[in-house]
């Protein structure tokens, strides 16, 4: 256990100076104005490049958002159409049920009339 802690501390201690010197004002390679200008230009180019990446990403995201909004509008319209079609279907089914019940009543009355006619009630034969 102690060996792993020592190993961790050794690795940590060896990386800290490198991180600390990343932007060291006493860096010997940055002593000249030309070196600082090159470094400044490299940083500027990196920033411009990253800004271009971000702008492309933003344009792409805006297009996706617009497409999503259009699709959402289509789905809402489709939902409205579906609701109307569902309502129409419900009314059609109610009408069908009423007409079917009426048909069943008329058929039952006709069958009673036929049965009465066959049994000799000739007044029922005219239906």
């Amino acid at each position: 256990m102690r060996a792993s802690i020592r190993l961790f501390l050794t690795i940590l201690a060896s990386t800290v100076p490198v991180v600390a010197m990343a932007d060291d004002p006493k860096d010997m390679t940055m002593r000249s104005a030309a070196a600082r200008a090159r470094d400044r230009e490299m940083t500027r180019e990196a920033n411009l490049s990253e800004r271009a990446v971000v702008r492309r990403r933003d344009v792409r995201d805006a297009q996706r958002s617009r497409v999503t909004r259009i699709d959402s509008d289509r789905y809402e319209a489709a939902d409205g159409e579906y609701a109307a079609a569902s309502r129409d279907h419900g009314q059609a089914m109610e009408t069908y049920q009423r007409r079917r019940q009426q048909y069943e009543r008329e058929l039952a009355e006709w069958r009673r009339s036929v049965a009465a006619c066959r049994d000799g009630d000739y007044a029922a034969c005219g239906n």
Side-chain angles (χ1 to χ4, degrees):
M1 184 73 148
R2 287 203 177 270
S4 63
I5 292 174
R6 282 188 197 154
L7 179 63
F8 173 74
L9 292 175
T10 303
I11 293 171
L12 181 66
S14 67
T15 59
V16 168
V18 173
V19 173
M21 291 180 64
D23 201 16
D24 186 8
K26 297 179 183 176
D27 186 6
M28 296 303 285
T29 60
M30 293 294 148
R31 292 276 182 186
S32 71
R36 287 192 301 274
R38 278 193 308 272
D39 184 57
R40 195 173 19 253
E41 185 59 29
M42 285 176 21
T43 302
R44 182 179 167 280
E45 287 176 10
N47 287 337
L48 290 174
S49 173
E50 188 60 28
R51 183 173 66 177
V53 168
V54 169
R55 284 183 176 169
R56 283 192 301 268
R57 183 200 62 206
D58 290 348
V59 167
R60 185 181 62 240
D61 289 349
Q63 289 171 342
R64 285 181 183 162
S65 177
R66 189 171 38 255
V67 167
T68 301
R69 258 194 326 275
I70 290 169
D71 287 347
S72 176
D73 293 344
R74 284 183 190 154
Y75 289 134
E76 287 174 9
D79 285 346
E81 291 170 8
Y82 176 80
S86 179
R87 192 173 41 252
D88 292 345
H89 175 71
Q91 292 171 349
M93 289 304 295
E94 290 173 6
T95 301
Y96 169 78
Q97 289 296 331
R98 281 194 310 275
R99 289 181 179 171
R100 180 70 188 191
Q101 290 170 356
Q102 179 65 28
Y103 168 77
E104 294 291 337
R105 285 191 299 270
E106 290 172 358
L107 183 61
E109 179 61 34
W110 178 79
R111 286 182 176 157
R112 280 192 294 275
S113 295
V114 168
C117 182
R118 286 184 180 162
D119 288 340
D121 182 8
Y122 296 111
C125 293
N127 292 337

